[in-house]
Amino acid sequence: MIDFGIITVSDTRTEVTDKSGQYIQTAMTEAGNNFVKKYIVKDDAQQITDAYNQLLTTSCKLILVNGGTGIARRDVTIDTLEPKFIKVIPGFGEYFRRISVDDIGLKALVSGAAAGITDSDQICYLLPGSTNACKTALEQIILPDLEHLIKEITK
């Protein structure tokens, strides 16, 4: 069982309308993991940073961020959080875009999906805000390899 936290980045979503955050929480707990905390923040670097910093101080070994990874000016998740990683996992974003092209076509290439290791030895995934994208990432990449990655970080 792995402790995890969620950050939803959106200017419009609420606890009621946050379908991606709800999906992530349900899928992760159904896979036997332990939900710790969720934040819903605006597409704002300071709010994103504050939520991220809060999760760094918890028992979470996994932080799942959804939203704000596109190419619009308001999409600041990647620019805000990726520089905070002590190590980047480039293969995640590359593979996510590759399998997403099969699903949604070339528009997947603008996704800024990324992953890295925090300075608190947590894995942090930066996912697009669409529920379908979160489902693709969780089912095809994150859950199948999660225990292996946790072991690699902590050895």
Side-chain angles (χ1 to χ4, degrees):
M1 177 168 40
I2 295 168
D3 288 353
F4 71 97
I6 300 167
I7 302 171
T8 294
V9 178
S10 173
D11 286 337
T12 59
R13 292 189 185 163
T14 66
E15 193 63 46
V16 173
T17 62
D18 179 22
K19 301 299 181 206
S20 295
Q22 293 167 7
Y23 166 77
I24 291 168
Q25 184 175 343
T26 299
M28 289 295 296
T29 54
E30 286 178 355
N33 299 295
N34 182 49
F35 173 69
V36 174
K37 181 77 177 166
K38 179 169 99 173
Y39 295 91
I40 298 175
V41 300
K42 302 286 184 202
D43 284 293
D44 173 81
Q46 189 61 57
Q47 288 189 32
I48 295 166
T49 299
D50 290 346
Y52 174 83
N53 286 340
Q54 288 295 316
L55 288 176
L56 291 180
T57 65
T58 68
S59 62
C60 290
K61 284 297 182 188
L62 174 66
I63 299 171
L64 297 158
V65 182
N66 71 95
T69 63
I71 59 172
R73 285 182 189 227
R74 291 287 297 158
D75 292 327
V76 297
T77 299
I78 301 294
D79 296 334
T80 300
L81 295 182
E82 196 172 52
K84 298 181 182 315
F85 296 159
I86 59 167
K87 289 200 180 236
V88 174
I89 305 170
F92 169 75
E94 295 163 0
Y95 187 65
F96 175 80
R97 283 181 284 281
R98 190 194 72 69
I99 63 175
S100 294
V101 165
D102 295 341
D103 189 28
I104 64 169
L106 292 177
K107 62 184 176 181
L109 298 179
V110 301
S111 169
I117 310 304
T118 73
D119 61 2
S120 298
D121 290 333
Q122 298 153 308
I123 300 171
C124 183
Y125 287 97
L126 310 178
L127 309 174
S130 89
T131 304
N132 186 55
C134 291
K135 183 176 182 178
T136 297
L138 277 178
E139 292 179 3
Q140 296 186 43
I141 307 170
I142 297 170
L143 284 170
D145 200 37
L146 186 56
E147 297 216 11
H148 168 252
L149 287 176
I150 297 292
K151 286 178 188 173
E152 286 296 312
I153 292 169
T154 57
K155 70 178 184 178

